[in-house]
Amino acid sequence: ETNVGAGLPVINTLHALLNSGDRIIKIEAVLSGTLSYIFNSYKGDILFSDVVKEAKTKGFTEPDPRDDLSGLDVARKALILARECGAKLELEQIKVENLVSKELRDIDVKAFLQKLTDLDAVYDKLKKKAEKKGNALRYMAVIENNKVEIALKEVDAQHPFYNLSGSDNMIVFTTERYKNNPLVIKRPGAGAEVTAAGVF
């Protein structure tokens, strides 16, 4: 429970749905408070590299931000959710989009932070393309048909992820019972107090 959503009642809710006879059609989830903060803040003229550095300064990222930007943390959480739904999956079977270009993955942290601006052009293009359509970028996991995909995607104003703010995490359950109006769990996904509460 705490691995997936810190203090959020994610697994308990999933169990309640399954144990009461509901069927999971799809789970969409923003499972990284760090990446949530980065893409919720990434709007207007701000540079991607500046948002990442700001998140690091505020203590939202790991000491090496690539640990967050690789998407592996999200993959581990999504794997737990998929297995709880009955999927027989291993981590290497999950398709994960790494937000760091190959050239920047094997250098030391200091060099990476200096070269972070190399990513600005790529993400600026994606941001402008999304904003032109009135959409927003969100790094999300999608669990459907016993498969998991983790990627940076555009969401429109009707999607629950569109209005995410700060470091909020959100899990959206589309089920037989909650088909037209999915069940949404949303709150800060990180922090010592809520994580401790989840463990207790």
Side-chain angles (χ1 to χ4, degrees):
E1 181 77 278
T2 311
N3 274 328
V4 175
L8 295 179
V10 182
I11 305 293
N12 281 339
T13 303
L14 179 55
H15 285 174
L17 293 169
L18 294 170
N19 292 339
S20 62
D22 205 350
R23 186 177 74 83
I24 307 296
I25 296 169
K26 180 169 67 171
I27 299 174
E28 295 167 286
V30 169
L31 294 167
S32 165
T34 304
L35 294 177
S36 182
Y37 176 82
I38 287 171
F39 287 104
N40 295 341
S41 307
Y42 187 46
K43 52 185 87 166
D45 295 329
I46 194 164
L47 297 173
F48 182 76
S49 56
D50 287 341
V51 177
V52 174
K53 286 173 185 172
E54 182 187 312
K56 187 176 188 303
T57 303
K58 289 187 172 180
F60 288 148
T61 73
E62 295 294 330
D64 184 345
R66 288 172 296 187
D67 291 342
D68 300 292
L69 296 167
S70 71
L72 266 181
D73 177 54
V74 175
R76 291 186 195 104
K77 294 173 179 181
L79 178 63
I80 294 170
L81 278 175
R83 284 176 172 172
E84 291 292 333
C85 293
K88 307 281 188 233
L89 278 177
E90 297 299 330
L91 192 61
E92 54 272 15
Q93 292 172 278
I94 293 178
K95 190 178 172 188
V96 186
E97 180 181 353
N98 191 327
L99 298 174
V100 180
S101 58
K102 286 180 181 175
E103 308 79 51
L104 302 182
R105 288 178 198 173
D106 297 320
I107 57 179
D108 64 57
V109 182
K110 191 177 177 184
F112 166 69
L113 290 169
Q114 286 170 343
K115 287 181 170 285
L116 197 50
T117 51
D118 291 1
L119 300 174
D120 285 340
V122 175
Y123 289 106
D124 189 58
K125 191 176 176 183
L126 292 173
K127 179 181 66 175
K128 283 178 176 163
K129 183 176 162 238
E131 288 179 345
K132 198 173 181 182
K133 293 184 270 185
N135 295 345
L137 294 173
R138 297 290 180 259
Y139 192 79
M140 58 198 277
V142 179
I143 302 161
E144 193 172 15
N145 298 322
N146 288 334
K147 290 180 183 170
V148 182
E149 184 191 359
I150 294 159
L152 184 64
K153 297 187 176 188
E154 286 185 28
V155 295
D156 62 28
Q158 311 309 312
H159 197 285
F161 292 165
Y162 185 85
N163 290 314
L164 276 171
S165 62
S167 60
D168 279 357
N169 282 4
M170 183 183 281
I171 296 90
V172 179
F173 294 101
T174 302
T175 73
E176 285 289 356
R177 200 179 295 149
Y178 296 98
K179 192 180 281 183
N180 299 321
N181 196 5
L183 176 64
V184 175
I185 300 173
K186 172 194 169 189
R187 274 296 172 264
E193 288 185 5
V194 290
T195 304
V199 173
F200 278 111

